[in-house]
Amino acid sequence: MKKVHNFSAGPCILAPTVFEKSAKAILNYNDTGLSLIEMSHRSPEFVAIMEEARSLVKEVLDVPAGYTVLFLQGGASLGFLMTAYNMMGDHKKAGYITTGAWAKKASKEANFVGEAVIVASSEDKNNSYIPKGYNIPSDIDYLHYTSNNTIFGTQFKSIPETSVPLVCDMSSDIFSKKIDISKFDLVYAGAQKNLGPAGATLYIIKDSILGKSSVAIPTMLDFKTHADKDSMFNTPPVFSIYASMLTLQWIKEIGGLEEIEKRNNAKAELLYNEIDRNPLFEGTAAKEDRSYMNVTFVLKDDSKKEKFDELWNKANISGIKGHRSVGGYRASIYNAMPIESVQVLVDVMKAI
Ligand SMILES: *Cc1c(COP(=O)(O)O)cnc(C)c1O
């Protein structure tokens, strides 16, 4: 099989051992003679997988006591709405920091349940930076932000300081570095950026919010429904959860988030150094807000585009075309991306 350097923003690269083990499990799970995807989700085998996946999330992220971990469906996009249903309190108002397309979509969903107040936004400069120095109103039920802006290549370098309950969509940088979960009432993330195949959506929920919403919540959208049934109210996305468990085992084996963060920093610095050094390229995000997961950049000399595209194609690089709203290029360098692949891209950038 030819070696492709996959810089796709999602679904994306996973660790080789995750692909190998999950491929085996599809054919014959642990010598049971059954495929993982034909087994009952109530079987002892799958219940053990669900339990290990949930407990590894807590272990790897160092989640404090008093939080429930769930693997649900609907993607982060349903998380936008579930957030609003489950977190809306007496103010019927929620604050949103809109730093990109996903953050804006999240705020739109809140309007189905209450009112979304835009607390800060970076739309004025095509979301190329993270807003700072804004005031957070106190009459809101929660503040929502998106820690890493997958499309625009910006990332919060610190957690917003606030006394209102804090909610974060961490879809594209969860498990990429250490994070203090105790600051949050709710964290959610689609699996397919840094955890596993599409299908599962991870929720980390402070127990004290369960059952506290001021609005009636449809059964499937209520976190309590799923928390009461250990994330097994209905059939869970078994394959995505199994592969996510394997990813978490892999993170633990290689040294946890400390090691992951070190590797991610090295990869991002390698690529940003070339973008800054090479007069042909320019990063699209403000330097201090640059994402260490999604590196967005443009080629300044249009006449070199054909040559550059030919060179990276020849080097078996895939998935670096920028999102249409930013243009140029986007190299997603999630956890499982080896630095060797980043070096291949940097070598191509040096060669034109
Ligand atoms: C990809 C992405 C989403 C959308 O996730 P789905 O699981 O496809 O609904 C939401 N937020 C962020 C930050 C993302 O990167």
Side-chain angles (χ1 to χ4, degrees), residues 191-217:
Q192 72 276 15
K193 307 280 163 58
N194 228 352
L195 185 57
T201 312
L202 172 65
Y203 290 85
I204 304 170
I205 306 159
K206 202 178 209 171
D207 291 338
S208 57
I209 72 152
L210 293 169
K212 293 287 159 59
S213 171
S214 68
V215 298
I217 313 176

Side-chain angles (χ1 to χ4, degrees), residues 74-78 80 102 146 148-150 169 171-172 190 192-193 201:
S77 298
L78 188 60
F80 302 158
W102 297 118
T146 310
N148 182 72
N149 297 286
T150 323
D169 172 4
S171 289
S172 53
Q192 72 276 15
K193 307 280 163 58
T201 312

